[in-house]
Amino acid sequence: MNEIDLDKIDMMGSPPEHEPERQYYFMAKCREWVREFEQKNGRYPLACIQTFGCQMNAKDSEKLSGILTTIGYVVTDTEKADFVLYNTCTVRENANTRVYGRIGYLGRIKRKENPGMKIALCGCMMQEEHVVAKIQHSYPFVDLIFGTHNIYKLAELLYRQINAGGMVVEIEQESREIVEELPSELKYGFKAGVNIMYGCNNFCSYCIVPYVRGRERSRRAVDIIQEMEELAKNGVTEVMLLGQNVNSYGKTLETPVSFAELLQRAEQVEGIRRIRFMTPHPKDLSDELIDVMAKSKKICHHLHLPVQSGSSRILKLMNRHYTKEDYLALVGRIRAAMPDVALTTDIIVGFPGETEEDFMETMDLVARVRYHSAYTFLYSPRGGTPAAAMDGQVLEEIAKERYDRLIGRIRAISQELAGEDTGKTAEVLVEEINAQREGFVTGRLENNLLVHFPGNEKLLGKYVRVKLLECMGFYYMGAPV
Ligand code: SAH
Ligand code: SF4
Ligand code: F3S
């Protein structure tokens, strides 16, 4: 996509000042190095990107992969590679712990098997000073560290590292500009994420995202639509519009555009058959949006609507700007307009000050809303967020016991709901060859549930009408009709 011919770049001159030309210049420079590597070793260098965290990181990894492929790296899944890049997440402490463990493991591979291996770290964790300090101190074999605001500069930073050696660290506190038109390597050929905005301004009191992703910035609608058109031309039929709070899309643009308006424009893009989005914040999900979704033929009737807690008192401490009653009323309006909508959510258990009574409010809300599925998290204090300094931190064993009760209730409800379409015929977008069962493929219904049915690789990326024979909890077994 949007490829600039690297062979036409004047590499004798000094690097261009403007983006994205500057990055293409450094891609060409790195490619010279890759060619030397190939001549010396008789093979192209392998690169492996491991992604932690959310859809934003997955999208960033596609961009990083696009840059590495343009340079000439061969992308692989195994960490026994010549360049290993971890795109990290810091939303909960266990995400961080996992990353430290993996870096230690990489260090051992580098020492024993491949001293020329380059190890790079980027993403949300790297925006935290104490993390970078710890890596500099305890993992000196790391070659490159960058953050969330300069992923587009991978080629430039890599070039600097190749020439200077040692550990190159470049973290920026805010994004200076939104750099468009760099290469991107899609994970699937038929579905893609599209960023509509970056950052977050909500400052929910438990959440570190606004600190590591910076202030909210929307992309221009024309750029988003153009990206969708290009994706469609290349065979993509399903897009997921991405942002931390998609409902506040467009408010800061020169000519403001609402999210509902953006969706209406997106719907006009020929070739796109399914549109999804993540994540809407309940506090400003508009009636206009519900209306647009209900009327649309392309916007999937699935809403991931994070509630976080069912207690209005806790929601206030969380700085979520809605009450339990507001949320239930919103769900009522959504269901009235779209009776077939599938609702999913995120819930945090054990937020500071949460009492048994507060927790029972969450249990009650879950029983009333009846989610198709829910992600539940144990509260994890994040340094620098207001909640981490609040009184009444909940003991781990109490939080865990509540967590188990909540999961039990959510599972029971989703099992009841999941079977409701048994016997119906529905359209499935085939995503993968089924790894567990030979001769089967796996696809997704509009409401995001998975379906396994007999088929082969010819069906990948195709829409198939499938009869839903039996529900197995979180997925269906089906048969093509
Ligand atoms: N922007 C999205 C969510 C981003 S983070 C939204 O507003 O809903 C994804 C989920 O991680 C959150 O919905 C929340 O449930 C969970 N989360 C965030 N910070 C957390 C923390 N400190 N401890 C536990 N879970 C957390
Ligand atoms: Fe975090 Fe809240 Fe922003 Fe979501 S809306 S990213 S939970 S601060
Ligand atoms: Fe994690 Fe960063 Fe996403 S902290 S959840 S990867 S925005």
Side-chain angles (χ1 to χ4, degrees):
M1 249 169 59
N2 304 318
E3 301 249 329
I4 293 179
D5 188 349
L6 293 193
D7 292 323
K8 295 208 180 108
I9 292 174
D10 168 19
M11 288 194 290
M12 293 305 156
S14 50
E17 275 180 31
H18 293 288
E19 302 295 0
E21 293 77 10
R22 185 177 170 87
Q23 294 313 312
Y24 279 97
Y25 169 91
F26 284 109
M27 282 182 236
K29 284 282 194 190
C30 288
R31 197 176 60 164
E32 282 185 329
W33 177 83
V34 162
R35 284 180 176 160
E36 279 167 31
F37 180 103
E38 195 267 335
Q39 273 170 3
K40 229 189 290 168
N41 300 281
R43 62 175 181 87
Y44 282 96
L46 297 174
C48 167
I49 302 179
Q50 295 288 354
T51 311
F52 301 80
C54 68
Q55 308 269 354
M56 317 284 154
N57 261 18
K59 179 69 194 176
D60 285 350
S61 287
E62 290 185 349
K63 296 179 186 171
L64 294 161
S65 179
I67 294 171
L68 291 174
T69 312
T70 307
I71 290 173
Y73 277 96
V74 175
V75 174
T76 156
D77 288 339
T78 138
E79 283 156 308
K80 298 204 169 165
D82 303 289
F83 183 80
V84 179
L85 171 59
Y86 283 169
N87 190 4
T88 62
C89 169
T90 184
V91 80
R92 287 171 292 276
E93 190 58 32
N94 55 9
N96 295 41
T97 316
R98 268 172 64 209
V99 166
Y100 287 126
R102 305 293 298 174
I103 307 173
Y105 162 77
L106 281 188
R108 286 191 293 279
I109 303 186
K110 178 167 177 167
R111 203 172 57 235
K112 289 196 191 133
E113 297 175 26
N114 185 1
M117 176 183 193
K118 291 194 187 300
I119 301 176
L121 305 171
C122 69
C124 297
M125 243 176 108
M126 302 305 132
Q127 291 295 136
E128 294 180 282
E129 262 171 46
H130 69 94
V131 170
V132 174
K134 174 166 171 164
I135 291 164
Q136 283 170 319
H137 180 258
S138 308
Y139 305 92
F141 52 82
V142 169
D143 301 282
L144 182 56
I145 298 180
F146 54 105
T148 57
H149 299 295
N150 51 358
I151 63 148
Y152 70 92
K153 280 173 89 173
L154 172 59
E156 180 171 350
L157 297 171
L158 179 60
Y159 184 69
R160 202 188 299 163
Q161 201 285 329
I162 289 168
N163 283 293
M167 189 192 283
V168 168
V169 181
E170 190 184 287
I171 310 290
E172 283 166 19
Q173 286 319 313
E174 274 293 329
S175 293
R176 263 174 264 158
E177 55 186 325
I178 296 180
V179 180
E180 311 266 1
E181 310 211 351
L182 283 169
S184 184
E185 187 83 5
L186 293 184
K187 190 165 173 219
Y188 298 93
F190 48 87
K191 68 170 188 176
V194 174
N195 292 117
I196 64 167
M197 60 203 301
Y198 302 93
C200 183
N201 284 356
N202 289 302
F203 290 95
C204 302
S205 63
Y206 51 81
C207 185
I208 198 154
V209 171
Y211 304 87
V212 295
R213 287 270 169 180
R215 292 295 61 72
E216 193 177 288
R217 304 167 301 283
S218 293
R219 282 177 75 196
R220 296 187 313 161
V222 283
D223 293 329
I224 296 166
I225 300 299
Q226 195 188 349
E227 183 174 340
M228 283 182 66
E229 285 167 351
E230 287 209 25
L231 287 168
K233 251 188 256 157
N234 288 305
V236 167
T237 60
E238 178 177 310
V239 294
M240 166 89 87
L241 304 179
L242 298 172
Q244 292 297 354
N245 173 12
V246 291
N247 295 321
S248 62
Y249 170 78
K251 288 187 180 153
T252 52
L253 287 172
E254 250 170 62
T255 26
V257 180
S258 75
F259 180 55
E261 283 163 358
L262 178 72
L263 278 175
Q264 282 168 301
R265 286 201 218 171
E267 185 151 6
Q268 309 298 319
V269 177
E270 238 173 86
I272 298 298
R273 290 177 62 164
R274 280 182 176 177
I275 300 172
R276 302 181 186 277
F277 55 85
M278 274 222 342
T279 308
H281 192 305
K283 79 178 157 71
D284 33 31
L285 196 148
S286 67
D287 288 342
E288 187 194 5
L289 174 62
I290 299 175
D291 194 46
V292 168
M293 277 184 84
K295 289 192 180 128
S296 164
K297 293 206 169 58
K298 294 186 179 175
I299 305 169
C300 294
H301 283 188
H302 166 221
L303 262 180
H304 182 68
L305 197 58
V307 66
Q308 314 298 1
S309 167
S311 154
S312 297
R313 195 181 71 83
I314 295 293
L315 285 167
K316 191 159 179 44
L317 291 172
M318 286 178 162
N319 196 29
R320 289 291 287 182
H321 296 281
Y322 54 86
T323 62
K324 180 187 186 189
E325 292 69 33
D326 294 336
Y327 187 91
L328 288 171
L330 175 62
V331 167
R333 290 200 296 281
I334 294 168
R335 287 236 164 93
M338 288 176 278
D340 63 339
V341 75
L343 291 177
T344 57
T345 201
D346 291 346
I347 299 172
I348 298 176
V349 177
F351 184 84
E354 184 188 79
T355 61
E356 176 64 19
E357 239 177 8
D358 293 315
F359 174 69
M360 287 315 285
E361 295 277 0
T362 301
M363 292 286 272
D364 177 60
L365 178 124
V366 163
R368 291 210 210 177
V369 177
R370 297 176 66 75
Y371 293 105
H372 272 71
S373 65
Y375 295 95
T376 41
F377 305 107
L378 278 176
Y379 168 70
S380 167
R382 308 314 291 133
T385 62
M390 282 180 190
D391 291 337
Q393 302 284 327
V394 177
L395 284 176
E396 199 176 315
E397 64 243 42
I398 295 181
K400 277 197 175 139
E401 187 274 328
R402 289 179 189 160
Y403 181 87
D404 290 341
R405 266 192 283 161
L406 181 63
I407 289 203
R409 170 146 322 170
I410 289 168
R411 281 219 181 110
I413 295 169
S414 42
Q415 270 168 12
E416 281 169 36
L417 285 179
E420 67 189 353
D421 290 329
T422 306
K424 290 187 190 158
T425 297
E427 197 173 57
V428 175
L429 170 56
V430 181
E431 295 189 347
E432 282 168 345
I433 300 291
N434 192 311
Q436 266 90 48
R437 195 153 166 192
E438 211 177 312
F440 276 67
V441 290
T442 300
R444 219 172 268 276
L445 294 168
E446 181 197 318
N447 70 10
N448 217 34
L449 273 184
L450 292 176
V451 183
H452 306 304
F453 65 96
N456 56 31
E457 67 281 351
K458 283 194 198 126
L459 293 180
L460 288 178
K462 300 256 160 43
Y463 290 80
V464 182
R465 291 196 65 76
V466 175
K467 181 159 185 178
L468 307 175
L469 299 176
E470 194 186 355
C471 180
M472 313 294 287
F474 296 102
Y475 60 88
Y476 282 101
M477 299 306 295
V481 292

